[in-house]
Amino acid sequence: MPMSPRKRAQAFRGVQYGILVLALAAVAFLADWETLGNAFFNLDAMATQFPGIITTALINTIIYTGLGFALGLAVGLVLALMKLSSVAPYRWIATVYIEFFRGVPALLVFIALGFGVPLAFQIQFDTYSTAAIALGLVGSAYIAETLRAGIQAVPKGQVEAARSLGMAQSRATFTVVIPQAFRIILPPLTNELILLTKDSSLIYLLGLLGTEYELAKFGREGMNATNSMSPILLAGLCYLLITVPLGYLSRYLERRAGRKRDEGLEVTA
Amino acid sequence: MSADTGDAQSGGPIVEITGLHKAFGMLEVLKGIDVTVERGEVVCIIGPSGSGKSTLLRCVNVLEEPNSGSVVVNGFELTDPDVDIDRARRSIGMVFQGFNLFGHLSVLDNLTVAQRKVLKRDAAEAERIARENLDKVGLAEKAGAMPEQLSGGQQQRVAIARALSMQPAVMLFDEPTSALDPELVGDVLGVMRQLADEGMTMLVVTHEMQFAREVADKVLFMDGGVVVESGHPSKVIADPAEDRTKTFLSRVLNPVHASETTD
Ligand SMILES: Nc1ncnc2c1ncn2[C@@H]1O[C@H](COP(=O)(O)OP(=O)(O)OP(=O)(O)O)[C@@H](O)[C@H]1O
Ligand SMILES: [Mg+2]
């Protein structure tokens, strides 16, 4: 006898719970908890990481990411405006740049900046500048695309209203379009900040002094020093300390933007 | 009007359009339009959808670039490539069908932003003029509101106040009440009527025949990219000479009946 759709849905849900329980049981019985505990949850090894993991590593990760994001935002804005320019060569340059840095692994960008550029031009930036430039290059490609979409999502009537009040094109762009584009893209922009936070773990490639360690490098040094995996787990938790609140912020902004839109529709409908 | 709004010509007509042509690609939308608007006059443009009314209005502040012909507004030859179009637009207020209030700014900031950034008025002066105009459209208490918190009719009145805050020499309206619920139309038309009474020069694209009949000094009937008939509303609306005008008016004034007989 065929099952009714509702019965079928119920049975399917039951199967899903069953799979979950089996998977958890397998992990619980098969994993070597004792070894795992010693390797990853060694509290003594973790304790040795403080306070450096916060005062040096976490702070440095935030600084590198913040600098990179700021630069990425500035370059991304220029690229987005170039991509929307009526001058074709600007559009081409922006397209090539975006496709390149979006497609190339961040790892290669760090290697190129850390070793290629100093060799080619006989210049050596300090770590913070190099890290900011590398993260900025990687971030700007994504940010540019997000910004372009945001700018294009601002209704054309906004520019027309601004122009009809005597604003020049550039003034209309900066006082009317960009502020509204940012409101639209704040949630995806927060996601890019999260991705950049994780990309900052590649900074170790530049060769760091002890005071320049960020979380990933700090955790690995800790692993060597304590002969335990615990420090890297701790470093991972510190990443979550940054990214989880950002994720909440992103969802909050998304909800707020969504609500604003709905309210807007209600009153003008 | 102050001298710095570019009031180069104070005697003659405020809008003078001659031989205006505009095409979008192959589509010829305006096929030689001549319109004159005298200072203080209210001119209403009526006509079927797609006849080029919006395009004509948008050529008057060069939101659309004319292909040929000349458009002179308040002494600015707008079709002259050397004209400072941003400067010319200061004296041309425009009200859109979709309001187009700046969504990220409060009502007050909507009214002051161009005053400060374009006319370089100081904040206090800009705010004083803004509040004056909000008061005029009956929305003094909404200064702190965001546009999305207002009804369509209120938004449109704010948009009118925003344009007025630039103290323009002429106001353009493109179907200002077409996007509104019927019960909100009256407030907006009331504000426009009051503006007309105060002597504002107005060029209005509208489907509100009652308004055109009562307020306009001159009505233009457009069809197929040309002005078919123009003159006093008592002539064009009440007693049209052209068949095309008659057909259009019978459709607009009596839509149910017209759809039975004309299709
Ligand atoms: N930017 C544009 N690109 C291409 N065609 C356009 C553009 N703007 C208007 N048109 C076309 O020009 C013609 C006239 O349009 P216009 O908006 O001026 O008509 P209208 O008289 O204002 O009509 P409505 O009463 O529907 O607003 C229409 O066929 C329209 O499709
Ligand atoms: Mg129109």
Side-chain angles (χ1 to χ4, degrees), chain A residues 11-81:
Chain A
F12 187 54
R13 229 181 350 257
V15 171
Q16 290 181 62
Y17 276 112
I19 292 174
L20 188 63
V21 169
L22 281 177
L24 287 176
V27 171
F29 287 117
L30 301 177
D32 183 348
W33 285 102
E34 180 143 358
T35 316
L36 209 60
N38 283 339
F40 280 100
F41 300 100
N42 184 334
L43 292 181
D44 294 334
M46 284 190 184
T48 62
Q49 300 301 296
F50 289 95
I53 195 161
I54 303 294
T55 53
T56 305
L58 182 68
I59 301 270
N60 272 336
T61 292
I62 291 174
I63 292 175
Y64 292 134
T65 309
L67 289 174
F69 190 66
L71 188 71
L73 211 51
V75 177
L77 183 56
V78 173
L79 286 168
L81 293 175

Side-chain angles (χ1 to χ4, degrees), chain B residues 24 27 29 47-56 64 97 175 207:
Chain B
F24 295 106
L27 180 70
V29 176
S49 181
S51 56
K53 307 180 298 292
S54 296
T55 307
L56 170 60
E64 301 293 353
Q97 185 174 346
E175 300 197 32
H207 288 297

